[in-house]
Structures are given as structure tokens and as C-alpha cells.
Amino acid sequence: MTNTYGDWLRQKRETAGLTQQQLADRAIMTRSHIAHIEAGRRVPSKEDARRLDRALGTGNVLSSFLPQDDVATADYFEAVRVLEQQAVMIREYALAYFPGILQTKRYARAVLGSAFPPVSEEECDRRVVTRLERAKILEDPLTPVVWALLDEALLRRPVGSRDVMGEQILHVVRLAETGRIRAHVMPFDVGFHPLIGSMLTLMWFEDQPPLAYGEGGHTARLHDSPAVVRKWQHRYDLALSDALPQKESLALLRATAEEYGHHD
């Protein structure tokens, strides 16, 4: 994600002779939120932009030139990756493959190695390392709190070898059994549900508004509009209410791993 907008905001703030904290006070925001926008790590919501315009006396300039939220996944995910490291709570809904932060090395290689157009072995290695770096957030025993809602479809569609799938499923079971994450399976017999058709990541922060990141097909969107984020939070809650309880989910995961020939 380019940082033209963040650089522009910084110039307007400095021209007004304001520190980040002073601008945050005027705009009723946190200093760190201002810092993330200026650094290109966040795109302000429309309401954020309106408050910044009022605080800086810039009319509707910052509101009018908000970056569009319909860019491709590759352009947006760098910002999402950074935000993932800052989150205190993450809730995932996974439909096509296990969430990146839960992937084993062999599963990640199988997913990333199936890219089209094909990538070189060197590039695949680089992407695997990046994905495993993301998973290091789970080394902290408490933060972020992670909930994973796993559609049964991803369990039944093999990625890589049967051994790779079994290992991946048991990895998630162990994370849940140790209390590091909560894992729930959305069974086929639920039928249609509010999240079907796309992957979803919800993130909460200590000092920033929450956001939602959705992937579907070959595009993705990062949302921090409060109304849009609330919509996805409500859809997640509704879908989760139909999922299997964690005890039953782990039993299904273990049974599926055994079907792939992998045992504890």
C-alpha cells in the first residue's frame, strides 16, 4: 500500500504547527492512530477523515481523497500483515484453507506452491518464511486472543498430501488443547450461513478502532468503516452460534486427521 495519503496528512499537520498528539486531541482520536495513518499502516475511515478535515481546517480535502478500498489482495495485505502483529484479538473464518497464522510449514508450502501464475522455488521459499513469521504472534501465550471458525469444506478438500493435511489439522487441535486458540467447525449440515462465500479476519486493538479484512476470488478489502466492521462482526457472531462447540469440533478434527492417516 502506498503512503501518499499518510505523507499528505503529515504535511498538513506540520503546516498547521501541530504535533501528532495535538491533532489527535482536536480530532478525538488517539496519537497512535494518527501515527499509523501517517506511516501508511492504516487507511482512515470516512468519519476519521471528516474529523481530521475539521481539526486541520482543510474543508473536505482529506475526506475526498481517501484511498479506494477495491484494490487487489497483494496491494492490501502488507497493511493487514502489519496490523495483525498489533492486534489484541483476532477472529478468523476460514473457507478455502487454514488461516495463515495457523499454518504449518508443509501446509504453507503446499498452498503457496500452487500459485498461478507459478512462482520460482526461491520465491515460494520467501513466501513460506513470511507466512511462518506471521505465525510467531502465537508464541506470546496470551495476546492476541485467537478464535478460528473453520468451515468443514476446508477439512474435506486436501491441500498437499494426505500426511500434510493430517499434520495441519492436528496442529490446530494442539493449539486449541493448550488453550492458545479457540477452534470451532462449521459443519456441512448447517447449510447456508452468513459468512459463506468468503474468508474473513476481524481484528481488535488496544488504541485503534477494530477492522475487518475479507477475501473472495482474486480480490480483497480492508474495512475500517465502523458500520461495515459492525456488520461483519454481527455476521461472524451469528455464524459462530451455528458452529459446533469446541469439544465437538476438536473431536471432528481428530477424526478427520485419522481419515488422512495421521494420529496423535
Side-chain angles (χ1 to χ4, degrees), residues 52-255:
L52 289 168
D53 271 328
R54 287 196 296 268
L56 291 167
T58 48
N60 66 348
V61 172
L62 293 166
S63 301
S64 298
F65 292 96
L66 273 173
Q68 297 300 306
D69 66 350
D70 59 354
V71 301
T73 304
D75 295 326
Y76 250 90
F77 198 77
E78 178 57 24
V80 177
R81 186 189 66 78
V82 172
L83 290 161
E84 195 175 59
Q85 307 298 310
Q86 302 166 0
V88 295
M89 177 180 287
I90 298 174
R91 295 185 183 180
E92 300 269 13
Y93 167 65
L95 174 64
Y97 47 81
F98 284 88
I101 60 174
L102 303 182
Q103 291 180 9
T104 65
K105 182 176 182 178
R106 293 201 300 160
Y107 185 89
R109 177 170 291 281
V111 171
L112 297 169
S114 63
F116 185 84
V119 297
S120 67
E121 190 73 15
E122 182 179 79
E123 175 63 14
C124 185
D125 287 343
R126 187 185 68 81
R127 294 183 183 185
V128 170
V129 169
T130 299
R131 184 150 297 185
L132 296 177
E133 284 293 319
R134 289 172 54 203
K136 288 185 177 179
I137 61 175
L138 298 178
E139 293 178 0
D140 185 306
L142 299 176
T143 305
V145 174
V146 175
W147 292 10
L149 177 55
L150 309 172
D151 200 286
E152 188 174 354
L154 73 84
L155 306 180
R156 305 303 180 186
R157 183 179 298 109
V159 172
S161 69
R162 295 176 64 82
D163 189 58
V164 166
M165 278 295 293
E167 177 187 59
Q168 173 62 61
I169 292 169
L170 287 181
H171 174 63
V172 172
V173 170
R174 294 185 189 105
L175 287 171
E177 287 179 334
T178 60
R180 184 59 191 85
I181 70 169
R182 289 194 63 84
H184 297 270
V185 174
M186 177 66 76
F188 279 138
D189 61 13
V190 167
F192 185 85
H193 59 81
L195 298 180
I196 200 164
S198 64
M199 307 277 279
L200 176 68
T201 301
L202 299 171
M203 290 183 274
W204 286 260
F205 308 88
E206 284 187 349
D207 57 358
Q208 306 169 50
L211 60 80
Y213 173 72
E215 285 188 22
H218 300 287
T219 61
R221 291 189 178 185
L222 177 64
H223 304 281
D224 63 2
S225 162
V228 174
V229 173
R230 281 195 301 271
K231 178 188 74 174
W232 285 111
Q233 289 171 346
H234 294 160
R235 288 185 179 182
Y236 190 97
D237 291 343
L238 186 58
L240 184 63
S241 71
D242 285 330
L244 297 177
Q246 177 160 279
K247 184 177 179 180
E248 294 176 32
S249 295
L250 297 186
L252 176 58
L253 289 168
R254 288 192 202 93

